[in-house]
Structure formats: C-alpha cells, structure tokens
Amino acid sequence: MATQKNDSTDIEVVLKDLKKINKGSITELKSLINPSQLIKMVMEAVCILLGRTPTWEQSRKLLSDVNNFMQQIQNYDKDNISPEVITKIRNEYTSDPEFSVEKAKNMSGAIWKLCSWVIAIEKYDNLKKSADGK
C-alpha cells in the first residue's frame, strides 16, 4: 500500500471527512463520461466494498442517489467484511502505488475522500485481524 499519513487512514477521521463531501462534487464525479484510471479504480473499490459490480456504469448508478450513497458509506459494516472482498481490495487496489490519497487529491474532493475511505477500511480490517490474532 502506498504510504499514507495516519490521519488519512484513521477510520473515524475519514468518516468525519466524508460528511464534508458536498453534493456538487458527487454530481460532478457522476457526470464524468470518461474518468481517469484512478477515479475508476477508487469507484471500483467502493463498488466492491458495497457489494456492487465494479464498473463505471455501476459507480454512476451508486452516485445518482447522493444521500443513499453517503449513508451506505457512513454505515458500512467494517467489522464484517468477507475475506474474499478484503483480499480483492488489498490485491487489486490498495497495494497499487497509483491508488493513493495524494494522487487522488489532484482529481476531486469527493474522490480523494472516497480513496481515503477504501484505504481506511482495508487498514481497519488488517488491524482488527491482527488484534484478534488471525
């Protein structure tokens, strides 16, 4: 995983930051016809965590109901992530050096906060399993 600052991967800090995403930045993200590879990667990872097909079309559907989307993110059950899902997130997304908060900050306010969320979820799961002795 790309090196991240502690506060950008602390789940509680990230959840507070997510509340600051405005509807305009989500609408802007959803309106992209041909998003960058990093935006696609972040949204694919979000889709996987939320149990959706990891495609840009599915991402746009998720983003179309901003309030519901944000509620799903805020209420995500981080304590019960399936091993298959977290393995896919680790192997295909958070381990990629391109998947970083620093790079996402150059894209949009919404995407870097969602990138932070994915990384924080993965880190939380790793720390939880370490604490549980798994």
Side-chain angles (χ1 to χ4, degrees), residues 69-101:
F69 172 68
M70 294 309 296
Q71 189 172 22
Q72 287 180 64
I73 297 289
Q74 289 289 332
N75 298 328
Y76 186 73
D77 186 3
K78 63 189 178 297
D79 293 313
N80 293 299
I81 306 170
S82 79
E84 297 80 15
V85 166
I86 204 66
T87 297
K88 186 170 185 73
I89 293 297
R90 272 190 195 113
N91 292 345
E92 296 181 25
Y93 298 96
T94 59
S95 63
D96 187 327
E98 294 300 310
F99 197 94
S100 76
V101 172

Side-chain angles (χ1 to χ4, degrees), residues 4 6 19 24 28 39 54 58-59 67 73 78-79 84 90 97-98 114 119-120 125 127:
Q4 307 293 329
N6 285 341
K19 290 180 182 178
E28 177 187 342
I39 290 173
Q58 186 62 48
S59 298
N67 293 331
I73 297 289
K78 63 189 178 297
D79 293 313
E84 297 80 15
R90 272 190 195 113
E98 294 300 310
L114 292 169
I119 292 167
D125 183 79
L127 291 172

Side-chain angles (χ1 to χ4, degrees), residues 26-92:
I26 295 288
T27 302
E28 177 187 342
L29 186 59
K30 180 185 72 168
S31 70
L32 295 174
I33 302 300
N34 191 21
S36 72
Q37 186 60 31
L38 180 57
I39 290 173
K40 286 181 185 177
M41 284 177 65
V42 171
M43 289 309 302
E44 285 173 8
V46 169
C47 283
I48 291 166
L49 287 167
L50 296 179
R52 302 286 176 24
T53 305
T55 64
W56 180 242
E57 293 76 27
Q58 186 62 48
S59 298
R60 291 179 78 192
K61 286 179 187 176
L62 257 176
L63 297 169
S64 66
D65 184 347
V66 177
N67 293 331
N68 185 49
F69 172 68
M70 294 309 296
Q71 189 172 22
Q72 287 180 64
I73 297 289
Q74 289 289 332
N75 298 328
Y76 186 73
D77 186 3
K78 63 189 178 297
D79 293 313
N80 293 299
I81 306 170
S82 79
E84 297 80 15
V85 166
I86 204 66
T87 297
K88 186 170 185 73
I89 293 297
R90 272 190 195 113
N91 292 345
E92 296 181 25

